[in-house]
Amino acid sequence: MKGAFITIEGLEGVGKSTCISFVKEFIANEGHKVIITREPGGTLLGEKIRKLILESKAGTLSAETETMLMFAARAHHLNLVILPALQNGSWVISDRFTDATFAYQGGGRNVSMDWLDSLQNYIQNGLEPDLTLLLDAPPKIGLNRISNRDLDYFEDESESFYKKVRNIYLDLAKNQKNRIKIIDASASIKSVNLQIITVLKQFIAQYKQLSND
Ligand code: TMP
């Protein structure tokens, strides 16, 4: 049986790491093999690309360069990690995937959405996450939470950049309601976990149903 591909998305500081640990444990308790990975990254080359981008000085990469680096890392990640794991029956949880490119490069940097669509079609050849949890909160909340870190390439962006990123995430969720589930990340951890449990239970029930058909 093929594994399921779950992605976690959201602005910086919304609690993706906590959410990923929670989702991993929930799915493992259901008896599935689970791997955790991330974008950009997930492979040796992808992690080098990640470092290259996140350690660049703000404004030194063009939006097109950012986009192509994200997709280069993604193509490698798909071939080396995601597709083999899914084929092997593992469930894959990725900390970000292509929705982030639409939100950050498309929304934040105004890269053509049509170009992103065609890159996505070419590189992914029809593969999409089966489920995406979008941890949503106003940018101010996340930016306050990360304000005491050393900020990386994107974390140093303005609130208006993050507003544009968030709007695209919300548009994607509105247009792909079956796949993208919005989690209110401004709520307490207890409430966030309850929202995640509701979504996962429903997803796992559908997955079992499809596997039995
Ligand atoms: P993070 O995984 O720690 O959130 O850092 C990754 C950063 O890279 C984050 O600011 C979002 C950004 N990013 C993009 O801009 N486009 C992408 O396609 C991906 C996967 C990430």
Side-chain angles (χ1 to χ4, degrees):
M1 193 159 78
K2 218 171 119 305
F5 182 27
I6 299 178
T7 59
I8 315 293
E9 298 279 358
L11 303 184
E12 348 294 284
V14 290
K16 281 189 293 117
S17 306
T18 315
C19 167
I20 287 166
S21 311
F22 186 78
V23 173
K24 181 186 177 190
E25 199 176 316
F26 193 94
I27 291 167
N29 283 339
E30 289 283 318
H32 299 288
K33 283 181 287 178
V34 190
I35 70 156
I36 306 281
T37 186
R38 67 174 178 181
E39 291 211 349
T43 62
L44 219 59
L45 177 77
E47 291 296 327
K48 283 186 184 165
I49 293 176
R50 178 187 180 90
K51 197 164 149 48
L52 204 142
I53 301 171
L54 298 187
E55 291 180 7
S56 289
K57 203 164 156 274
T60 52
L61 302 176
S62 76
E64 288 71 25
T65 307
E66 275 177 27
T67 302
M68 288 187 287
L69 286 172
M70 296 296 177
F71 271 106
R74 182 162 302 134
H76 201 59
H77 191 206
L78 276 165
N79 288 335
L80 260 68
V81 177
I82 299 176
L83 293 172
L86 292 174
Q87 287 305 334
N88 171 32
S90 293
W91 284 42
V92 176
I93 304 173
S94 184
D95 182 346
R96 300 190 186 280
F97 193 63
T98 308
D99 294 318
T101 318
F102 280 96
Y104 284 77
Q105 280 65 52
R109 305 275 195 240
N110 296 318
V111 164
S112 147
M113 294 291 184
D114 286 344
W115 185 48
L116 296 183
D117 264 334
S118 58
L119 281 168
Q120 167 175 245
N121 292 337
Y122 193 81
I123 300 296
Q124 291 167 222
N125 196 20
L127 181 100
E128 287 241 321
D130 298 299
L131 172 69
T132 297
L133 299 178
L134 171 58
L135 299 178
D136 177 61
K140 250 199 183 89
I141 293 187
L143 293 176
N144 280 343
R145 287 186 194 154
I146 62 167
S147 60
N148 53 359
R149 285 192 208 161
D150 272 348
L151 300 183
D152 69 29
Y153 184 74
F154 289 102
E155 289 170 345
D156 217 10
E157 285 290 344
S158 63
E159 193 182 339
S160 70
F161 171 87
Y162 283 110
K163 280 189 179 155
K164 291 191 276 178
V165 174
R166 182 187 188 205
N167 285 340
I168 296 298
Y169 268 138
L170 291 174
D171 276 355
L172 292 168
K174 203 164 91 192
N175 294 327
Q176 298 177 69
K177 287 201 171 79
N178 282 340
R179 174 175 71 85
I180 307 179
K181 305 294 178 190
I182 299 177
I183 305 292
D184 175 8
S186 62
S188 66
I189 292 198
K190 194 173 163 201
S191 155
V192 168
N193 287 347
L194 284 173
Q195 296 174 65
I196 295 173
I197 289 173
T198 306
V199 170
L200 287 179
K201 279 188 172 161
Q202 194 193 9
F203 177 75
I204 289 169
Q206 280 169 354
Y207 177 84
K208 279 188 184 147
Q209 180 70 45
L210 279 175
S211 310
N212 290 334
D213 284 347

